[in-house]
Amino acid sequence: MLSFRQKPKYLIVGLGNPGREYRLTRHNVGFMAVDYLAQTAKADIRKLKFHALTGNAVIAGVPVLLMMPQTFMNLSGEAVGEAARFYKLPPERVIVIFDDADLPLGTLRVREKGSSGGHNGIKSIIAHLGSEEFPRVKIGIGPKPHPEMELADFVLQAFTAADQKVLFDRFSRVAEGVELILKGDVRLAQSRINS
């Protein structure tokens, strides 16, 4: 078990909204993925710190802090920025896992850096880190069923049981991508994970 005295070398942040009503919604796929990482690393992610639920873990031999910001999606950067400053971690040591409505359900994309792509959680993190240069794992949640539907309404919909199964089957691939990033091999993560 990792003690809180051991400084994490990376933050692994899953994006989502706090509260039971949001638990299995499309916008919370980042939380779900970090939950999966916590379970596989046998980590407890219940300590409230930096406006986030946090848990120390060792993944791929690297001490990390797992985070689920509790600020609501649009203010995610407040939690991430605070933790990064506290541990003196540069943006490239912050891995963010989040939903992408432009990707088909279950499709994964590893990116080394980039713009927010219109994602408010990422926009907030870029603002608080002062940089776009942080690695990320995007998880496809599928397109809106109707073009006229508001994106905000779509991402707050719950996944169907069938969709949940598709996603949960992908989390081992998300974990593989995260491990490769932790080993310093973002390019390999991209070639293996980007489907």
Side-chain angles (χ1 to χ4, degrees), residues 79-147:
V80 177
E82 193 179 325
R85 286 189 297 276
F86 182 84
Y87 292 115
K88 298 181 172 58
L89 293 173
E92 54 271 20
R93 292 289 183 94
V94 178
I95 303 170
V96 184
I97 306 171
F98 64 101
D99 59 288
D100 190 329
D102 291 329
L103 294 175
L105 182 75
T107 299
L108 306 178
R109 286 276 183 281
V110 174
R111 291 277 180 266
E112 195 167 6
K113 57 188 175 189
S115 70
S116 70
H119 193 289
N120 289 332
I122 297 297
K123 203 177 290 181
S124 175
I125 292 171
I126 289 169
H128 283 269
L129 292 180
S131 172
E132 296 183 346
E133 312 242 334
F134 53 90
R136 53 203 79 177
V137 182
K138 302 177 182 191
I139 302 175
I141 57 167
K144 298 183 294 183
H146 317 290

Side-chain angles (χ1 to χ4, degrees), residues 57-80:
V58 175
I59 297 175
V62 179
V64 302
L65 185 73
L66 299 171
M67 293 183 71
M68 294 181 192
Q70 300 294 290
T71 53
F72 286 93
M73 180 64 83
N74 295 1
L75 302 174
S76 299
E78 291 178 8
V80 177

